[in-house]
């Protein structure tokens, strides 16, 4: 009967190799997180009348409103467009973060492990 380098571990993976792999993944995750925080994400609403830009830290860093979007008799529509643009920019940032995490973890859901 063949013996593994680490009892109970299939394929002979030892504890030191597992720790090294975990540390490598953690370093890559930190690098990726820093890269994501420095990115910006933009989204438009109202046919491009309002554009919002957020950072990877989920902070609103810019808002662009075309003059023709400003109607003093319909402020609610402008408010709705701003909210829609900001929310879409945030969703874009979240999707990008999720996609990058899936690439790193090979699709495994580690649920806050790192």
């Amino acid at each position: 009967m063949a013996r593994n380098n680490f009892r109970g571990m299939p394929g002979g993976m030892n504890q030191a190799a597992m720790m090294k792999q975990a540390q490598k993944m953690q370093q890559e995750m930190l690098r990726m997180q820093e890269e994501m925080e420095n990115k910006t994400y933009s989204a438009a609403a109202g046919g491009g009348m309002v554009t919002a830009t957020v950072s990877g830290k989920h902070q609103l860093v810019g808002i662009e409103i075309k003059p023709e979007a400003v109607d003093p008799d319909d402020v609610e529509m402008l408010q709705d467009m701003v909210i829609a643009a900001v929310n879409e920019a945030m969703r874009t940032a979240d999707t990008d973060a999720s996609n990058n995490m899936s690439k790193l973890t090979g699709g495994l859901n580690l649920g806050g492990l790192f």
Side-chain angles (χ1 to χ4, degrees):
M1 182 164 132
R3 299 181 89 189
N4 293 331
N5 292 340
F6 184 73
R7 281 182 230 135
M9 293 300 294
M13 180 177 263
N14 63 36
Q15 192 172 14
M18 283 178 52
M19 289 300 292
K20 187 174 183 179
Q21 184 67 26
Q23 288 173 340
K24 182 180 176 185
M25 183 182 278
Q26 187 174 27
Q27 289 172 346
E28 182 64 19
M29 287 178 76
L30 290 172
R31 183 196 64 75
M32 188 180 294
Q33 183 179 17
E34 185 177 319
E35 188 178 290
M36 295 286 304
E37 288 176 353
N38 292 323
K39 282 184 169 183
T40 58
Y41 304 87
S42 296
M49 300 295 269
V50 175
T51 302
T53 302
V54 299
S55 72
K57 293 180 181 181
H58 287 89
Q59 295 175 332
L60 181 63
V61 295
I63 191 120
E64 199 174 306
I65 301 171
K66 293 191 175 180
E68 51 272 20
V70 180
D71 180 356
D73 295 326
D74 195 2
V75 174
E76 292 82 17
M77 185 172 71
L78 178 57
Q79 292 169 337
D80 289 344
M81 286 189 290
V82 169
I83 290 168
V86 170
N87 285 338
E88 185 58 31
M90 293 286 191
R91 273 191 292 277
T92 302
D94 288 341
T95 299
D96 190 37
S98 180
N99 289 342
N100 283 323
M101 190 60 64
S102 289
K103 288 178 193 172
L104 181 65
T105 63
L108 294 175
N109 181 1
L110 300 178
L113 181 60
F114 288 94

